Amino acid sequence: MPIAIRQVGPCFAGEVSGIDLREPLSDADAAAIHAGMDEYAVLVFRGEKLTGEQQLAFSRKLGPLEEAIGTSLRAPEDYRLPTVFADVSNLDKQDRPFAREDRRRLFAIGNRLWHSDSSFKVTPAKYSILHALGIPSKGGNTEFADMRAAWDALDAETRAEIEGLVCEHSQMYSRRQIGFTELTDEEKARFRPVRQSLVRTHPSTGRKSLYLSSHAGEIVGWPLPEALILLRDLIEHATQRQFVYAHKWRLHDVVMWDNRRTMHRARPFPAEEPRDMRRTTLAGEGPTAVQAAA
Ligand SMILES: [Fe+2]
């Protein structure tokens, strides 16, 4: 049965059928998924119970992967998963939910701010592929915002004002917004800002989109308060309901999204319940902006 995609909610989200992700992905199916990602920007695969190896094989067939090293407050000896996965769970190495006040948890709930994965890396992520291995009894949705539609809906004056602007992104900036500012010198050095263009052109479709993320905390050459107000206004614009798809997780869902033209955020859920999410991440093509001299 060939792959079929049916729109779910807004036009940038689709649900895929006619594929079993546990099986090796054929070249034709990989091409169909890439084409589907270009047409949509979020694809949902239901009922895919994957081992780590199966998720890796499927992901690698779509492109080279990014590693998750030093991107959280987990110490390397406390990693629950190999670094080829981003551990998006709320679990420690013994698979127990973090205590409510655990700083690893408090840092991680920065993911409840709108963001694009790895926008704090010089080469930010292409696709994220998130697999639900354990979901809470309520809450924990992931919401996605269509940054291409958000760009299309801007007036010409705003587009002219922001095209060409470069932002500085860091996990310190997203955490600053939720009052998480206590970082060690080592963490501050690890989270030093990188530069990203505020408007991107998608390499396969040629369409422009806003490239926003709560990790963006400065605009190069702008006074800070003015930069933060503009970024706040743009995020408010881009996350209006008509641009948003809310994914309600079922066990063993796989959801794939294009970070180059979407933002997303996790929604709250009971702190004491496990939420076990395992992400593989396709590496992007390269930097979106020239970096500051070291
Ligand atoms: Fe994320």
Side-chain angles (χ1 to χ4, degrees):
M1 189 165 79
I3 285 183
I5 305 176
R6 134 187 115 77
Q7 186 179 321
V8 284
C11 61
F12 72 108
E15 188 172 313
V16 183
S17 56
I19 190 166
D20 181 345
L21 300 184
R22 293 170 303 181
E23 300 295 326
L25 198 63
S26 68
D27 290 343
D29 283 353
I33 288 173
H34 283 301
M37 286 295 285
D38 286 344
E39 183 179 352
Y40 299 87
V42 179
L43 291 180
V44 176
F45 305 79
R46 299 281 191 185
E48 298 278 1
K49 188 177 179 181
L50 303 181
T51 64
E53 281 307 314
Q54 287 165 337
Q55 182 174 348
L56 281 178
F58 163 64
S59 304
R60 285 189 171 125
K61 180 73 184 182
L62 296 173
L65 300 187
E66 183 187 285
E67 299 258 333
I69 299 172
T71 54
S72 75
L73 296 194
R74 291 173 195 263
E77 60 271 23
D78 291 334
Y79 286 167
R80 207 175 56 103
L81 302 174
T83 56
V84 72
F85 297 105
D87 190 348
V88 191
S89 77
N90 62 340
L91 305 174
D92 67 15
K93 206 173 182 179
Q94 285 72 43
D95 291 330
R96 296 172 306 209
F98 290 131
R100 190 169 183 196
E101 62 280 4
D102 190 303
R103 72 191 290 271
R104 293 169 296 184
R105 169 180 181 270
L106 296 176
F107 185 83
I109 66 175
N111 288 326
R112 297 182 194 177
L113 297 167
W114 287 105
H115 67 281
S116 176
D117 285 337
S118 301
S119 77
F120 50 80
K121 293 184 178 177
V122 171
T123 293
K126 183 181 180 182
Y127 302 162
S128 290
I129 301 166
L130 191 57
H131 187 29
L133 298 162
I135 56 175
S137 62
K138 60 181 179 182
N141 288 358
T142 303
E143 296 181 345
F144 298 91
D146 183 353
M147 307 300 283
R148 190 168 87 181
W151 167 261
D152 289 347
L154 287 175
D155 59 65
E157 193 180 342
T158 309
R159 287 189 197 175
E161 184 189 13
I162 67 174
E163 203 164 10
L165 292 181
V166 172
C167 300
E168 299 237 338
H169 291 233
S170 164
Q171 293 200 89
M172 288 188 285
Y173 296 151
S174 45
R175 274 57 189 185
R176 181 175 69 187
Q177 294 186 39
I178 53 170
F180 191 112
T181 52
E182 282 182 33
L183 293 164
T184 65
D185 289 342
E186 181 276 322
E187 288 161 350
K188 287 177 188 166
R190 187 145 54 84
F191 299 143
R192 67 185 169 279
V194 304
R195 293 186 168 185
Q196 305 291 358
S197 294
L198 181 54
V199 180
R200 295 182 72 166
T201 301
H202 196 278
S204 9
T205 66
R207 297 276 298 272
K208 285 183 183 167
S209 60
L210 285 171
Y211 188 45
L212 289 168
S213 184
S214 294
H215 305 310
E218 304 222 7
I219 298 176
V220 177
W222 279 44
L224 183 60
E226 198 175 9
L228 293 180
I229 288 290
L230 175 63
L231 292 170
R232 181 179 290 215
D233 280 349
L234 289 173
I235 287 181
E236 202 173 295
H237 162 76
T239 56
Q240 295 176 81
R241 284 293 112 184
Q242 69 268 30
F243 303 138
V244 171
Y245 164 64
H247 183 73
K248 186 169 169 46
W249 289 94
R250 293 183 210 156
L251 196 60
H252 303 135
D253 280 353
V254 171
V255 178
M256 183 186 311
W257 62 90
D258 189 340
N259 287 292
R260 301 168 301 180
R261 51 160 295 205
T262 58
M263 274 199 299
H264 61 281
R265 64 173 179 177
R267 302 303 289 145
F269 59 94
E272 68 283 5
E273 293 188 21
R275 182 174 185 264
D276 189 356
M277 311 293 274
R278 185 173 62 198
R279 193 184 87 204
T280 38
T281 313
L282 265 62
E285 301 80 6
T288 70
V290 176
Q291 299 303 306

